[in-house]
Amino acid sequence: MKRLSDIGTIKEILGRHGFSFSKGLGQNFLVNPSVCPRMAELSGADEGVGVIEIGPGIGVLTQELCELADKVVAIEIDKRLIPVLAETLGEYDNLKVINRDVMELDLNRLIDEEFPGMKVVVCANLPYYITSPVIMKLLEDKLPIESITVMVQKEAAQRICAGVGTRQCGAVTAAVNFYSRPELLFNVSAGSFMPAPKVDSAVIRLDVYSEPVYRVSDEKKFFAVVKAAFAQRRKTILNSISSSLGLEKQTVNELLLECNIDPRLRAEKLSMDDFVNIAERISI
Ligand code: SAM
């Protein structure tokens, strides 16, 4: 079957369907033929594996995934792309396209119904306007998945993959590290997309822990602490946590000292264990 990721082919198909890109839906389609095969391969798509793709567009990455995996379920919000996908990928009997907003789907149920007994991975060129919410949904829903391989803006990739306790880390770094081991796989230039976005991108893979590595009695509290600590990242953790959570400074000071944490540090200096310790002792 003809590979889709050739720019002439893509333009011809989109032109014939009178398709115009929606900026609001983050539609920047991949037109660099070397990216999708590499991404699909590194996602773990293979025999015996089921893949969830978010936002197939016209199907450039989907095609590579269908070639490698036993089954692919692609979730696309834009109904104008459904007839396009029927034309571009109609030959693949291991593909199911679902016309829905991924944020509204019960993905645990989808996995139960579509991939019984299969190893499951997620692979997607994510729409940038919901990168973090999608990643956090995939992790917080505690899906029985092995990994999440996604294209995101380069800056987001660097922040997610920065180690906790380094200058570049943020609340999202700690949140992602709670559930998975992130890795930056490769960078992709802005010119690899149509239309070209203003910034470069990168592909990252999150290897999801099958058992929790950090044990907390209340996950919501843990995430509230992380968010509060990074809310005013230029301030000390004492000031950021107390003002963001509306707590007495003296109480927070004592609590941090009990955890052997210097209250004058900034959030970027704390480790995952520090956040866990604070969350276990704080009352909010
Ligand atoms: N996979 C294609 C590619 O690499 O060329 C398209 C990627 S494009 C960056 C993002 C895709 O996600 C678009 O097709 C867009 O319509 C779709 N999308 C945007 N928001 C979505 C949502 N909430 N749920 C599902 N798909 C969504």
Side-chain angles (χ1 to χ4, degrees):
M1 191 183 196
K2 195 171 167 187
R3 281 297 199 266
L4 288 170
S5 49
D6 161 71
I7 188 158
T9 312
I10 296 172
K11 278 187 172 164
E12 188 274 318
I13 295 167
L14 292 177
R16 199 153 29 76
H17 285 265
F19 184 83
S20 54
F21 293 96
S22 158
K23 220 175 168 184
L25 290 178
Q27 289 178 340
N28 301 95
F29 292 176
L30 269 165
V31 292
N32 176 341
S34 69
V35 176
C36 293
R38 202 168 161 203
M39 214 178 145
E41 178 101 37
L42 291 170
S43 76
D46 206 346
E47 270 173 38
V49 176
V51 185
I52 299 177
E53 188 193 6
I54 298 151
I58 75 155
V60 273
L61 175 61
T62 325
Q63 182 176 42
E64 303 299 332
L65 295 169
C66 287
E67 291 284 337
L68 297 176
D70 272 8
K71 182 172 180 182
V72 178
V73 172
I75 303 156
E76 174 56 60
I77 196 171
D78 189 344
K79 68 173 189 312
R80 299 173 305 156
L81 288 167
I82 306 306
V84 180
L85 286 162
E87 177 191 322
T88 55
L89 301 177
E91 278 179 36
Y92 288 95
D93 57 9
N94 60 343
L95 170 67
K96 178 167 179 175
V97 177
I98 299 179
N99 183 204
R100 288 283 300 276
D101 178 345
V102 68
M103 297 306 289
E104 289 175 2
L105 270 183
D106 179 344
L107 293 174
N108 267 304
R109 191 165 153 197
L110 182 143
I111 291 174
D112 271 358
E113 289 173 1
E114 303 291 345
F115 304 111
M118 290 168 86
K119 216 163 114 171
V120 180
V121 301
V122 174
C123 185
N125 172 12
L126 285 181
Y128 293 157
Y129 76 106
I130 45 165
T131 299
S132 292
V134 170
I135 291 178
M136 288 320 296
K137 176 183 165 67
L138 295 170
L139 294 170
E140 284 172 359
D141 283 0
K142 300 195 170 37
L143 307 174
I145 54 177
E146 305 264 320
S147 62
I148 300 168
T149 304
V150 281
M151 173 98 66
V152 299
Q153 285 192 355
K154 196 171 165 186
E155 249 189 29
Q158 285 166 341
R159 198 179 276 295
I160 290 171
C161 298
V164 174
T166 67
R167 267 194 85 181
Q168 269 189 316
C169 80
V172 71
T173 322
V176 166
N177 273 271
F178 186 78
Y179 296 109
S180 66
R181 196 178 58 81
E183 188 184 351
L184 202 152
L185 297 179
F186 60 94
N187 294 324
V188 179
S189 67
S192 299
F193 300 88
M194 183 173 71
K198 288 200 177 73
V199 291
D200 289 337
S201 297
V203 176
I204 59 172
R205 189 178 61 226
L206 314 179
D207 291 316
V208 180
Y209 298 132
S210 51
E211 292 292 328
V213 167
Y214 300 101
R215 304 218 172 244
V216 293
S217 39
D218 182 346
E219 272 185 27
K220 278 204 181 113
K221 219 195 236 184
F222 172 83
F223 288 113
V225 166
V226 168
K227 220 169 139 194
F230 283 101
Q232 293 157 299
R233 54 181 300 136
R234 302 253 155 261
K235 289 197 177 173
T236 63
I237 33 164
L238 171 61
N239 285 336
S240 193
I241 291 181
S242 53
S243 76
S244 305
L245 294 175
L247 298 170
E248 290 283 336
K249 258 192 180 182
Q250 198 189 332
T251 317
V252 177
N253 195 48
E254 281 166 16
L255 184 145
L256 291 169
L257 293 174
E258 271 175 41
C259 298
N260 288 322
I261 299 168
D262 181 346
R264 294 165 302 180
L265 291 177
R266 290 182 181 166
E268 67 199 34
K269 293 282 181 205
L270 267 57
S271 67
M272 286 297 282
D273 290 332
D274 289 333
F275 289 118
V276 169
N277 279 337
I278 301 172
E280 288 306 275
R281 286 164 198 257
I282 206 165
S283 302
I284 40 177

